Amino acid sequence: MGHRADSGRREARSPFRWHRADTVLIVCCLAFSAALIGFLALRGRSMAGQGGADLVLFHEKNEIGRFALEQGQEQEQYILITYTAQGAYVQAADNRPSVPDDRPYNLLYLADGQVTMVAADCPDLICVHHLPIASPGESIICLPHKLTAAIEGGGKSEALEELDGVVR
Amino acid sequence: MSGRVARLGLYLTVALVLSYVESLIPFSPGIPGIKPGLPNLAVVLLLYGAQGDAAAGGVRDAALVNLLRIVLAGFLFGSLYSILYALAGAVCSLFVMCLFRRLPVFSIAGVSVLGGVAHNIGQFAVALFVTETAYLWYYLPFLIAAGTVAGMLVGVIAMAAAPHLQKAGGRSV
């Protein structure tokens, strides 16, 4: 046993050979993130069960809009956010609005308790490629436009503070 | 001197080509900031001195090539935003990889995993600073997992490539 450990250590000198420590590191990283993801998923589900969730829009740190999400109902709504030097403007519409060509915008689509970013003119379009969000705590963030579209549910702020504590 | 210029030029070219290849892959897993990080192959190999002589492992070379790669790729395939994020990630990643390269604990793959995770945490920190929203914390576990997988991928490729580089170029590669 002692001999094996010794030869393992000598082999560990070559950086181009797989070490046991690599496996341990990878398993630890994946287990840690999986545990956190599971924790978040359970949290989101239990909060969603506590009643109505809201879609809340923030520009920089200011709340600029709040929309109730109706789970399982035939809700269909478009939310157009446009930006000028003075700030952000929010417009809701039942039909898909045409997007402006003279100023920046994000277009959100609400249906079946899910929120999707369907269009934007930001350079990377990361927000448009984002998965739909539905559970409290989830968000779509458009960094170039400094827009956060987040789902809030019952007892949300408490849960986020708790999460803050866990992650730190 | 000219040998170093030629060598670094080659690595920069490889890194840029990999950046281009990565920008072509229609890879959008629905969570921002997740990508394979193929260009880091060049950085990791440089960090280990590629010729296998760990003492010659070039932190300066790796940092230089990575910086040039980020700026060039940013202007070619990205935006100013992507340059800012890439730089933040690169600084964290290189710092952590330098630190752990000195320990005989991990192979190039383990160091690459740590680099990948550090890269994503660096970008996460910038995003947190820019948006100042607590909602971002939700992404952290996904980013750690993605950094682990991407780092492992790059590390395994580097592990496979290193012996060939040693054989092909000896001291000059």
Side-chain angles (χ1 to χ4, degrees), chain A residues 12-22 25-27 29-30 32-34 36-37 40-41 56 58 60-61 123-124 126 129-131 133 135-146 148 150-152 156 160 163-164 167-168, chain B residues 28-33 45 48 50-54 79 81 85 104-111 113-114 117 124 127-128 130-142 144-146 148-149 152 155-156 158-159 162-163 166:
Chain A
R13 301 248 172 240
S14 166
F16 302 119
R17 246 201 227 142
W18 195 270
H19 301 176
R20 201 173 302 155
D22 297 332
L25 174 72
I26 289 164
V27 169
C29 283
L30 291 179
F32 175 69
S33 45
L36 268 180
I37 291 168
L40 285 172
V56 191
F58 300 92
E60 287 166 357
K61 287 189 85 175
D124 48 23
I126 283 172
H129 294 139
H130 200 289
L131 290 169
I133 54 171
S135 308
E138 293 181 343
S139 63
I140 299 179
I141 295 166
C142 182
L143 285 173
H145 293 165
K146 300 195 173 78
T148 303
I151 313 275
E152 283 186 2
K156 148 261 150 193
L160 272 179
L163 168 62
D164 239 27
V167 176
R168 274 180 197 155
Chain B
S28 54
I31 293 165
L45 283 171
Y48 273 90
Q51 60 267 62
D53 180 4
S79 62
Y81 262 95
Y85 280 94
V105 181
F106 299 114
S107 73
I108 194 169
V111 168
V113 165
L114 286 163
V117 172
F124 175 81
L128 207 58
V130 170
T131 61
E132 297 183 50
T133 126
Y135 289 102
L136 267 182
W137 287 109
Y138 185 87
Y139 291 109
L140 189 62
F142 293 97
I144 291 174
T148 305
V149 174
M152 188 172 74
V156 167
M159 211 177 254
Q166 287 168 338

Side-chain angles (χ1 to χ4, degrees), chain B residues 13 21 29 41 50 61 69 77 81 90 101-102 106 111 113 116 119 121 131 154 163 168:
Chain B
T13 311
V21 168
L41 185 55
D61 289 357
R69 197 269 307 173
F77 323 117
Y81 262 95
R101 182 179 65 98
R102 295 182 192 286
F106 299 114
V111 168
V113 165
H119 174 97
I121 289 177
T131 61
V154 166

Side-chain angles (χ1 to χ4, degrees), chain A residues 73-153:
Chain A
Q73 291 194 14
E74 285 188 21
Q75 179 190 29
E76 212 184 15
Q77 199 173 18
Y78 288 90
I79 300 166
L80 179 68
I81 303 111
T82 54
Y83 308 90
T84 68
Q86 282 77 43
Y89 296 90
V90 181
Q91 291 165 272
D94 289 340
N95 297 309
R96 187 174 176 135
S98 58
V99 295
D101 51 10
D102 56 343
R103 53 187 191 253
Y105 66 88
N106 288 94
L107 182 61
L108 286 164
Y109 173 62
L110 274 64
D112 262 347
Q114 284 199 334
V115 181
T116 323
M117 184 77 74
V118 286
D121 67 333
C122 52
D124 48 23
L125 292 179
I126 283 172
C127 54
V128 176
H129 294 139
H130 200 289
L131 290 169
I133 54 171
S135 308
E138 293 181 343
S139 63
I140 299 179
I141 295 166
C142 182
L143 285 173
H145 293 165
K146 300 195 173 78
L147 175 80
T148 303
I151 313 275
E152 283 186 2

